[in-house]
Amino acid sequence: MKGNGEAQKAGEGAVARRLKINVLRYNPQDPESRPHLQTFEVDEAPSMTLFVALNDIRDRQDPSLQFDFVCRAGICGSCAMLIDGRPGLACRTLTSSLGEQITLAPLPFFELIGDLSVNTGKWMRGMSERLEAWIHTSEEVDVRRLEERMEPELAEQIYELERCIECGCCLAACGTARMRENFVGAVGLNKIARLRLDPRDQRADADYYELIGDDNGVFGCMSLLGCQDVCPKDLDLQTQIAYMRRKMLRAAVFPSR
Ligand code: SF4
Ligand code: F3S
Ligand code: FES
């Protein structure tokens, strides 16, 4: 027969548990700091997310614990981390979907700020600048054109790619990104795919190819598919990358078509 404590439900039907959360701690600013796992115990609550558990730890056990969040709703991308070795969003991960022992580490690939906090913003900015990932129009274009209506189907296609929240999970899961420091990753290739669709961007295909037609772009991707597996927005990244690669190869072989 179950006791009162055991009868309490956590999340979707699971019995309340005492979670052991192992966090990889390291502060690169502190010369004394050494990377180590620190274990915190947290009582699981119904519908608890990892974000809530981490706040609980910071509020009650260790105010020095570093991790990022802004929206708590899977929109800003700032709470991405390695959750039991897999990139994901802390604010969208229910503790009930994980075991009683949970291991958290910062996303690899990005500059570490401290503990679970990494500087994705700096990398994303640099990548956007390299790819000139903004709408290019000629000076003569009436700015009102930027507000022009477009076909709903096209707007929907663009919107689908715009759902990327720049969380960095795709890069953390990508073998090519580990080997090539300047690889723009699925997030960068997705940006170009989105701009190619946008009629307000007046660049020709050749201009895009100039930006991503090398080993740091579409030809660096080895179709490892980690990006698509972990993307919290379920973007169809592989189809976009494969499509651009095919188009570029065709343009190289048949330049006049
Ligand atoms: Fe995150 Fe997906 Fe965008 Fe990559 S493509 S940054 S995984 S939302
Ligand atoms: Fe990396 Fe995704 Fe290509 S994981 S190798 S960008 S398919
Ligand atoms: Fe914004 Fe998690 S806090 S995506």
PDB file of all heavy atoms in Angstrom, residues 91-125:
ATOM      1  N   CYS A  91      13.761  25.060 -20.055  1.00  0.00           N
ATOM      2  CA  CYS A  91      12.399  25.524 -19.734  1.00  0.00           C
ATOM      3  C   CYS A  91      11.322  24.672 -20.400  1.00  0.00           C
ATOM      4  O   CYS A  91      10.155  24.786 -20.060  1.00  0.00           O
ATOM      5  CB  CYS A  91      12.222  26.994 -20.103  1.00  0.00           C
ATOM      6  SG  CYS A  91      12.084  27.306 -21.863  1.00  0.00           S
ATOM      7  N   ARG A  92      11.704  23.833 -21.362  1.00  0.00           N
ATOM      8  CA  ARG A  92      10.719  22.981 -22.045  1.00  0.00           C
ATOM      9  C   ARG A  92      10.904  21.506 -21.693  1.00  0.00           C
ATOM     10  O   ARG A  92      10.288  20.646 -22.325  1.00  0.00           O
ATOM     11  CB  ARG A  92      10.824  23.150 -23.582  1.00  0.00           C
ATOM     12  CG  ARG A  92      10.666  24.552 -24.079  1.00  0.00           C
ATOM     13  CD  ARG A  92       9.395  25.220 -23.640  1.00  0.00           C
ATOM     14  NE  ARG A  92       8.204  24.678 -24.253  1.00  0.00           N
ATOM     15  CZ  ARG A  92       6.962  24.895 -23.829  1.00  0.00           C
ATOM     16  NH1 ARG A  92       6.759  25.630 -22.756  1.00  0.00           N
ATOM     17  NH2 ARG A  92       5.936  24.383 -24.447  1.00  0.00           N
ATOM     18  N   THR A  93      11.764  21.222 -20.737  1.00  0.00           N
ATOM     19  CA  THR A  93      12.016  19.829 -20.379  1.00  0.00           C
ATOM     20  C   THR A  93      11.409  19.523 -19.018  1.00  0.00           C
ATOM     21  O   THR A  93      11.821  20.096 -18.001  1.00  0.00           O
ATOM     22  CB  THR A  93      13.541  19.545 -20.348  1.00  0.00           C
ATOM     23  OG1 THR A  93      14.091  19.896 -21.617  1.00  0.00           O
ATOM     24  CG2 THR A  93      13.822  18.078 -20.076  1.00  0.00           C
ATOM     25  N   LEU A  94      10.429  18.644 -19.000  1.00  0.00           N
ATOM     26  CA  LEU A  94       9.813  18.242 -17.736  1.00  0.00           C
ATOM     27  C   LEU A  94      10.740  17.269 -17.024  1.00  0.00           C
ATOM     28  O   LEU A  94      11.269  16.337 -17.652  1.00  0.00           O
ATOM     29  CB  LEU A  94       8.473  17.557 -18.011  1.00  0.00           C
ATOM     30  CG  LEU A  94       7.335  18.451 -18.511  1.00  0.00           C
ATOM     31  CD1 LEU A  94       6.160  17.604 -18.983  1.00  0.00           C
ATOM     32  CD2 LEU A  94       6.880  19.409 -17.404  1.00  0.00           C
ATOM     33  N   THR A  95      10.908  17.466 -15.728  1.00  0.00           N
ATOM     34  CA  THR A  95      11.748  16.518 -14.978  1.00  0.00           C
ATOM     35  C   THR A  95      11.127  15.126 -15.030  1.00  0.00           C
ATOM     36  O   THR A  95      11.836  14.133 -14.981  1.00  0.00           O
ATOM     37  CB  THR A  95      11.934  16.971 -13.518  1.00  0.00           C
ATOM     38  OG1 THR A  95      10.649  17.154 -12.923  1.00  0.00           O
ATOM     39  CG2 THR A  95      12.733  18.248 -13.433  1.00  0.00           C
ATOM     40  N   SER A  96       9.804  15.070 -15.182  1.00  0.00           N
ATOM     41  CA  SER A  96       9.146  13.751 -15.222  1.00  0.00           C
ATOM     42  C   SER A  96       9.545  12.946 -16.460  1.00  0.00           C
ATOM     43  O   SER A  96       9.325  11.740 -16.512  1.00  0.00           O
ATOM     44  CB  SER A  96       7.625  13.917 -15.177  1.00  0.00           C
ATOM     45  OG  SER A  96       7.187  14.693 -16.265  1.00  0.00           O
ATOM     46  N   SER A  97      10.139  13.629 -17.460  1.00  0.00           N
ATOM     47  CA  SER A  97      10.571  12.899 -18.651  1.00  0.00           C
ATOM     48  C   SER A  97      11.982  12.329 -18.468  1.00  0.00           C
ATOM     49  O   SER A  97      12.518  11.678 -19.368  1.00  0.00           O
ATOM     50  CB  SER A  97      10.551  13.823 -19.877  1.00  0.00           C
ATOM     51  OG  SER A  97      11.567  14.806 -19.759  1.00  0.00           O
ATOM     52  N   LEU A  98      12.594  12.593 -17.305  1.00  0.00           N
ATOM     53  CA  LEU A  98      13.986  12.176 -17.068  1.00  0.00           C
ATOM     54  C   LEU A  98      14.049  11.222 -15.872  1.00  0.00           C
ATOM     55  O   LEU A  98      13.074  11.099 -15.110  1.00  0.00           O
ATOM     56  CB  LEU A  98      14.849  13.419 -16.782  1.00  0.00           C
ATOM     57  CG  LEU A  98      14.827  14.498 -17.876  1.00  0.00           C
ATOM     58  CD1 LEU A  98      15.450  15.788 -17.356  1.00  0.00           C
ATOM     59  CD2 LEU A  98      15.556  14.022 -19.124  1.00  0.00           C
ATOM     60  N   GLY A  99      15.202  10.610 -15.685  1.00  0.00           N
ATOM     61  CA  GLY A  99      15.379   9.716 -14.540  1.00  0.00           C
ATOM     62  C   GLY A  99      15.567  10.514 -13.250  1.00  0.00           C
ATOM     63  O   GLY A  99      15.591  11.750 -13.258  1.00  0.00           O
ATOM     64  N   GLU A 100      15.756   9.779 -12.143  1.00  0.00           N
ATOM     65  CA  GLU A 100      15.922  10.441 -10.844  1.00  0.00           C
ATOM     66  C   GLU A 100      17.279  11.139 -10.756  1.00  0.00           C
ATOM     67  O   GLU A 100      17.452  12.101 -10.033  1.00  0.00           O
ATOM     68  CB  GLU A 100      15.826   9.368  -9.753  1.00  0.00           C
ATOM     69  CG  GLU A 100      14.974   9.802  -8.582  1.00  0.00           C
ATOM     70  CD  GLU A 100      14.561   8.599  -7.757  1.00  0.00           C
ATOM     71  OE1 GLU A 100      15.311   8.213  -6.843  1.00  0.00           O
ATOM     72  OE2 GLU A 100      13.490   8.047  -8.069  1.00  0.00           O
ATOM     73  N   GLN A 101      18.252  10.619 -11.498  1.00  0.00           N
ATOM     74  CA  GLN A 101      19.586  11.239 -11.597  1.00  0.00           C
ATOM     75  C   GLN A 101      19.627  11.996 -12.915  1.00  0.00           C
ATOM     76  O   GLN A 101      19.398  11.397 -13.977  1.00  0.00           O
ATOM     77  CB  GLN A 101      20.667  10.164 -11.655  1.00  0.00           C
ATOM     78  CG  GLN A 101      20.890   9.425 -10.376  1.00  0.00           C
ATOM     79  CD  GLN A 101      22.132   9.931  -9.650  1.00  0.00           C
ATOM     80  OE1 GLN A 101      22.770  10.895 -10.084  1.00  0.00           O
ATOM     81  NE2 GLN A 101      22.458   9.297  -8.550  1.00  0.00           N
ATOM     82  N   ILE A 102      19.915  13.266 -12.842  1.00  0.00           N
ATOM     83  CA  ILE A 102      19.952  14.081 -14.075  1.00  0.00           C
ATOM     84  C   ILE A 102      21.315  14.774 -14.116  1.00  0.00           C
ATOM     85  O   ILE A 102      21.756  15.330 -13.105  1.00  0.00           O
ATOM     86  CB  ILE A 102      18.830  15.150 -14.039  1.00  0.00           C
ATOM     87  CG1 ILE A 102      17.452  14.482 -13.912  1.00  0.00           C
ATOM     88  CG2 ILE A 102      18.876  16.041 -15.281  1.00  0.00           C
ATOM     89  CD1 ILE A 102      16.333  15.450 -13.555  1.00  0.00           C
ATOM     90  N   THR A 103      21.949  14.747 -15.278  1.00  0.00           N
ATOM     91  CA  THR A 103      23.248  15.425 -15.389  1.00  0.00           C
ATOM     92  C   THR A 103      23.151  16.578 -16.374  1.00  0.00           C
ATOM     93  O   THR A 103      22.689  16.400 -17.508  1.00  0.00           O
ATOM     94  CB  THR A 103      24.351  14.422 -15.824  1.00  0.00           C
ATOM     95  OG1 THR A 103      24.400  13.379 -14.846  1.00  0.00           O
ATOM     96  CG2 THR A 103      25.708  15.093 -15.912  1.00  0.00           C
ATOM     97  N   LEU A 104      23.556  17.737 -15.917  1.00  0.00           N
ATOM     98  CA  LEU A 104      23.477  18.950 -16.746  1.00  0.00           C
ATOM     99  C   LEU A 104      24.868  19.515 -16.991  1.00  0.00           C
ATOM    100  O   LEU A 104      25.692  19.581 -16.073  1.00  0.00           O
ATOM    101  CB  LEU A 104      22.621  20.008 -16.044  1.00  0.00           C
ATOM    102  CG  LEU A 104      21.206  19.582 -15.660  1.00  0.00           C
ATOM    103  CD1 LEU A 104      20.495  20.724 -14.929  1.00  0.00           C
ATOM    104  CD2 LEU A 104      20.408  19.175 -16.904  1.00  0.00           C
ATOM    105  N   ALA A 105      25.107  19.931 -18.225  1.00  0.00           N
ATOM    106  CA  ALA A 105      26.410  20.515 -18.588  1.00  0.00           C
ATOM    107  C   ALA A 105      26.146  21.649 -19.575  1.00  0.00           C
ATOM    108  O   ALA A 105      25.082  21.695 -20.208  1.00  0.00           O
ATOM    109  CB  ALA A 105      27.303  19.444 -19.207  1.00  0.00           C
ATOM    110  N   PRO A 106      27.092  22.576 -19.708  1.00  0.00           N
ATOM    111  CA  PRO A 106      26.879  23.667 -20.669  1.00  0.00           C
ATOM    112  C   PRO A 106      26.949  23.149 -22.098  1.00  0.00           C
ATOM    113  O   PRO A 106      27.583  22.129 -22.363  1.00  0.00           O
ATOM    114  CB  PRO A 106      28.040  24.623 -20.375  1.00  0.00           C
ATOM    115  CG  PRO A 106      29.103  23.750 -19.784  1.00  0.00           C
ATOM    116  CD  PRO A 106      28.395  22.664 -19.025  1.00  0.00           C
ATOM    117  N   LEU A 107      26.315  23.858 -23.021  1.00  0.00           N
ATOM    118  CA  LEU A 107      26.420  23.481 -24.434  1.00  0.00           C
ATOM    119  C   LEU A 107      27.874  23.560 -24.853  1.00  0.00           C
ATOM    120  O   LEU A 107      28.544  24.557 -24.579  1.00  0.00           O
ATOM    121  CB  LEU A 107      25.643  24.472 -25.315  1.00  0.00           C
ATOM    122  CG  LEU A 107      24.140  24.351 -25.476  1.00  0.00           C
ATOM    123  CD1 LEU A 107      23.681  25.257 -26.610  1.00  0.00           C
ATOM    124  CD2 LEU A 107      23.685  22.922 -25.714  1.00  0.00           C
ATOM    125  N   PRO A 108      28.389  22.515 -25.525  1.00  0.00           N
ATOM    126  CA  PRO A 108      29.742  22.633 -26.077  1.00  0.00           C
ATOM    127  C   PRO A 108      29.717  23.585 -27.276  1.00  0.00           C
ATOM    128  O   PRO A 108      28.640  24.023 -27.673  1.00  0.00           O
ATOM    129  CB  PRO A 108      30.050  21.198 -26.509  1.00  0.00           C
ATOM    130  CG  PRO A 108      28.720  20.581 -26.754  1.00  0.00           C
ATOM    131  CD  PRO A 108      27.737  21.257 -25.828  1.00  0.00           C
ATOM    132  N   PHE A 109      30.856  23.905 -27.803  1.00  0.00           N
ATOM    133  CA  PHE A 109      31.013  24.713 -29.024  1.00  0.00           C
ATOM    134  C   PHE A 109      31.042  26.210 -28.724  1.00  0.00           C
ATOM    135  O   PHE A 109      31.771  26.958 -29.348  1.00  0.00           O
ATOM    136  CB  PHE A 109      29.899  24.408 -30.037  1.00  0.00           C
ATOM    137  CG  PHE A 109      30.066  25.130 -31.349  1.00  0.00           C
ATOM    138  CD1 PHE A 109      31.018  24.721 -32.259  1.00  0.00           C
ATOM    139  CD2 PHE A 109      29.292  26.233 -31.652  1.00  0.00           C
ATOM    140  CE1 PHE A 109      31.194  25.398 -33.456  1.00  0.00           C
ATOM    141  CE2 PHE A 109      29.453  26.920 -32.841  1.00  0.00           C
ATOM    142  CZ  PHE A 109      30.412  26.499 -33.752  1.00  0.00           C
ATOM    143  N   PHE A 110      30.251  26.667 -27.760  1.00  0.00           N
ATOM    144  CA  PHE A 110      30.175  28.104 -27.477  1.00  0.00           C
ATOM    145  C   PHE A 110      31.106  28.486 -26.316  1.00  0.00           C
ATOM    146  O   PHE A 110      31.467  27.649 -25.500  1.00  0.00           O
ATOM    147  CB  PHE A 110      28.732  28.495 -27.125  1.00  0.00           C
ATOM    148  CG  PHE A 110      27.779  28.229 -28.242  1.00  0.00           C
ATOM    149  CD1 PHE A 110      26.993  27.089 -28.249  1.00  0.00           C
ATOM    150  CD2 PHE A 110      27.688  29.094 -29.326  1.00  0.00           C
ATOM    151  CE1 PHE A 110      26.126  26.814 -29.295  1.00  0.00           C
ATOM    152  CE2 PHE A 110      26.821  28.826 -30.384  1.00  0.00           C
ATOM    153  CZ  PHE A 110      26.045  27.688 -30.357  1.00  0.00           C
ATOM    154  N   GLU A 111      31.443  29.777 -26.279  1.00  0.00           N
ATOM    155  CA  GLU A 111      32.293  30.277 -25.198  1.00  0.00           C
ATOM    156  C   GLU A 111      31.574  30.103 -23.854  1.00  0.00           C
ATOM    157  O   GLU A 111      30.415  30.516 -23.710  1.00  0.00           O
ATOM    158  CB  GLU A 111      32.572  31.758 -25.481  1.00  0.00           C
ATOM    159  CG  GLU A 111      33.420  32.449 -24.462  1.00  0.00           C
ATOM    160  CD  GLU A 111      33.484  33.942 -24.779  1.00  0.00           C
ATOM    161  OE1 GLU A 111      33.687  34.334 -25.949  1.00  0.00           O
ATOM    162  OE2 GLU A 111      33.296  34.723 -23.837  1.00  0.00           O
ATOM    163  N   LEU A 112      32.277  29.527 -22.899  1.00  0.00           N
ATOM    164  CA  LEU A 112      31.669  29.303 -21.580  1.00  0.00           C
ATOM    165  C   LEU A 112      31.727  30.579 -20.754  1.00  0.00           C
ATOM    166  O   LEU A 112      32.784  31.204 -20.608  1.00  0.00           O
ATOM    167  CB  LEU A 112      32.429  28.180 -20.860  1.00  0.00           C
ATOM    168  CG  LEU A 112      31.924  27.837 -19.468  1.00  0.00           C
ATOM    169  CD1 LEU A 112      30.531  27.207 -19.516  1.00  0.00           C
ATOM    170  CD2 LEU A 112      32.892  26.900 -18.749  1.00  0.00           C
ATOM    171  N   ILE A 113      30.597  30.967 -20.203  1.00  0.00           N
ATOM    172  CA  ILE A 113      30.571  32.105 -19.276  1.00  0.00           C
ATOM    173  C   ILE A 113      30.780  31.585 -17.853  1.00  0.00           C
ATOM    174  O   ILE A 113      31.576  32.113 -17.086  1.00  0.00           O
ATOM    175  CB  ILE A 113      29.246  32.882 -19.411  1.00  0.00           C
ATOM    176  CG1 ILE A 113      29.164  33.511 -20.808  1.00  0.00           C
ATOM    177  CG2 ILE A 113      29.123  33.953 -18.323  1.00  0.00           C
ATOM    178  CD1 ILE A 113      27.848  34.157 -21.146  1.00  0.00           C
ATOM    179  N   GLY A 114      30.091  30.517 -17.511  1.00  0.00           N
ATOM    180  CA  GLY A 114      30.259  29.891 -16.195  1.00  0.00           C
ATOM    181  C   GLY A 114      29.157  28.879 -15.964  1.00  0.00           C
ATOM    182  O   GLY A 114      28.008  29.111 -16.354  1.00  0.00           O
ATOM    183  N   ASP A 115      29.480  27.747 -15.375  1.00  0.00           N
ATOM    184  CA  ASP A 115      28.529  26.663 -15.092  1.00  0.00           C
ATOM    185  C   ASP A 115      27.739  26.293 -16.363  1.00  0.00           C
ATOM    186  O   ASP A 115      28.328  25.820 -17.317  1.00  0.00           O
ATOM    187  CB  ASP A 115      27.581  27.049 -13.945  1.00  0.00           C
ATOM    188  CG  ASP A 115      28.349  27.333 -12.654  1.00  0.00           C
ATOM    189  OD1 ASP A 115      29.428  26.738 -12.479  1.00  0.00           O
ATOM    190  OD2 ASP A 115      27.883  28.149 -11.839  1.00  0.00           O
ATOM    191  N   LEU A 116      26.425  26.591 -16.369  1.00  0.00           N
ATOM    192  CA  LEU A 116      25.585  26.192 -17.509  1.00  0.00           C
ATOM    193  C   LEU A 116      25.363  27.341 -18.496  1.00  0.00           C
ATOM    194  O   LEU A 116      24.577  27.209 -19.441  1.00  0.00           O
ATOM    195  CB  LEU A 116      24.234  25.692 -16.985  1.00  0.00           C
ATOM    196  CG  LEU A 116      24.330  24.520 -16.001  1.00  0.00           C
ATOM    197  CD1 LEU A 116      22.971  24.210 -15.392  1.00  0.00           C
ATOM    198  CD2 LEU A 116      24.897  23.280 -16.706  1.00  0.00           C
ATOM    199  N   SER A 117      26.036  28.442 -18.269  1.00  0.00           N
ATOM    200  CA  SER A 117      25.809  29.636 -19.096  1.00  0.00           C
ATOM    201  C   SER A 117      26.887  29.757 -20.180  1.00  0.00           C
ATOM    202  O   SER A 117      28.080  29.752 -19.880  1.00  0.00           O
ATOM    203  CB  SER A 117      25.839  30.874 -18.187  1.00  0.00           C
ATOM    204  OG  SER A 117      25.824  32.043 -18.958  1.00  0.00           O
ATOM    205  N   VAL A 118      26.447  29.845 -21.447  1.00  0.00           N
ATOM    206  CA  VAL A 118      27.395  30.004 -22.562  1.00  0.00           C
ATOM    207  C   VAL A 118      26.990  31.227 -23.390  1.00  0.00           C
ATOM    208  O   VAL A 118      25.839  31.661 -23.355  1.00  0.00           O
ATOM    209  CB  VAL A 118      27.437  28.755 -23.479  1.00  0.00           C
ATOM    210  CG1 VAL A 118      28.005  27.557 -22.758  1.00  0.00           C
ATOM    211  CG2 VAL A 118      26.070  28.445 -24.059  1.00  0.00           C
ATOM    212  N   ASN A 119      27.967  31.747 -24.131  1.00  0.00           N
ATOM    213  CA  ASN A 119      27.718  32.969 -24.894  1.00  0.00           C
ATOM    214  C   ASN A 119      27.289  32.623 -26.332  1.00  0.00           C
ATOM    215  O   ASN A 119      28.071  32.749 -27.271  1.00  0.00           O
ATOM    216  CB  ASN A 119      28.976  33.831 -24.896  1.00  0.00           C
ATOM    217  CG  ASN A 119      28.662  35.261 -25.278  1.00  0.00           C
ATOM    218  OD1 ASN A 119      27.604  35.535 -25.854  1.00  0.00           O
ATOM    219  ND2 ASN A 119      29.562  36.172 -24.959  1.00  0.00           N
ATOM    220  N   THR A 120      26.046  32.185 -26.493  1.00  0.00           N
ATOM    221  CA  THR A 120      25.563  31.887 -27.846  1.00  0.00           C
ATOM    222  C   THR A 120      25.393  33.189 -28.640  1.00  0.00           C
ATOM    223  O   THR A 120      25.590  33.212 -29.844  1.00  0.00           O
ATOM    224  CB  THR A 120      24.205  31.151 -27.815  1.00  0.00           C
ATOM    225  OG1 THR A 120      23.329  31.842 -26.952  1.00  0.00           O
ATOM    226  CG2 THR A 120      24.347  29.719 -27.359  1.00  0.00           C
ATOM    227  N   GLY A 121      25.023  34.260 -27.955  1.00  0.00           N
ATOM    228  CA  GLY A 121      24.742  35.542 -28.630  1.00  0.00           C
ATOM    229  C   GLY A 121      25.937  36.040 -29.424  1.00  0.00           C
ATOM    230  O   GLY A 121      25.800  36.472 -30.566  1.00  0.00           O
ATOM    231  N   LYS A 122      27.122  35.928 -28.827  1.00  0.00           N
ATOM    232  CA  LYS A 122      28.342  36.410 -29.505  1.00  0.00           C
ATOM    233  C   LYS A 122      28.576  35.621 -30.794  1.00  0.00           C
ATOM    234  O   LYS A 122      28.848  36.190 -31.849  1.00  0.00           O
ATOM    235  CB  LYS A 122      29.526  36.245 -28.551  1.00  0.00           C
ATOM    236  CG  LYS A 122      30.831  36.774 -29.064  1.00  0.00           C
ATOM    237  CD  LYS A 122      31.880  36.616 -27.981  1.00  0.00           C
ATOM    238  CE  LYS A 122      33.264  36.822 -28.528  1.00  0.00           C
ATOM    239  NZ  LYS A 122      34.288  36.436 -27.549  1.00  0.00           N
ATOM    240  N   TRP A 123      28.428  34.296 -30.699  1.00  0.00           N
ATOM    241  CA  TRP A 123      28.653  33.471 -31.897  1.00  0.00           C
ATOM    242  C   TRP A 123      27.588  33.756 -32.956  1.00  0.00           C
ATOM    243  O   TRP A 123      27.891  33.899 -34.147  1.00  0.00           O
ATOM    244  CB  TRP A 123      28.647  31.983 -31.520  1.00  0.00           C
ATOM    245  CG  TRP A 123      29.090  31.135 -32.682  1.00  0.00           C
ATOM    246  CD1 TRP A 123      30.362  30.756 -32.974  1.00  0.00           C
ATOM    247  CD2 TRP A 123      28.249  30.620 -33.727  1.00  0.00           C
ATOM    248  NE1 TRP A 123      30.367  30.024 -34.151  1.00  0.00           N
ATOM    249  CE2 TRP A 123      29.082  29.931 -34.631  1.00  0.00           C
ATOM    250  CE3 TRP A 123      26.889  30.673 -33.994  1.00  0.00           C
ATOM    251  CZ2 TRP A 123      28.605  29.295 -35.770  1.00  0.00           C
ATOM    252  CZ3 TRP A 123      26.398  30.038 -35.133  1.00  0.00           C
ATOM    253  CH2 TRP A 123      27.254  29.359 -36.004  1.00  0.00           C
ATOM    254  N   MET A 124      26.334  33.865 -32.526  1.00  0.00           N
ATOM    255  CA  MET A 124      25.239  34.089 -33.483  1.00  0.00           C
ATOM    256  C   MET A 124      25.428  35.432 -34.196  1.00  0.00           C
ATOM    257  O   MET A 124      25.183  35.548 -35.394  1.00  0.00           O
ATOM    258  CB  MET A 124      23.873  34.077 -32.777  1.00  0.00           C
ATOM    259  CG  MET A 124      23.475  32.739 -32.188  1.00  0.00           C
ATOM    260  SD  MET A 124      23.079  31.495 -33.453  1.00  0.00           S
ATOM    261  CE  MET A 124      22.948  30.016 -32.444  1.00  0.00           C
ATOM    262  N   ARG A 125      25.863  36.436 -33.454  1.00  0.00           N
ATOM    263  CA  ARG A 125      26.095  37.751 -34.066  1.00  0.00           C
ATOM    264  C   ARG A 125      27.186  37.669 -35.125  1.00  0.00           C
ATOM    265  O   ARG A 125      27.052  38.163 -36.238  1.00  0.00           O
ATOM    266  CB  ARG A 125      26.493  38.761 -32.985  1.00  0.00           C
ATOM    267  CG  ARG A 125      25.741  40.054 -33.079  1.00  0.00           C
ATOM    268  CD  ARG A 125      26.007  41.041 -31.976  1.00  0.00           C
ATOM    269  NE  ARG A 125      27.021  40.733 -31.020  1.00  0.00           N
ATOM    270  CZ  ARG A 125      26.790  40.224 -29.815  1.00  0.00           C
ATOM    271  NH1 ARG A 125      25.573  39.946 -29.440  1.00  0.00           N
ATOM    272  NH2 ARG A 125      27.790  39.992 -28.976  1.00  0.00           N
TER     273      ARG A 125
END
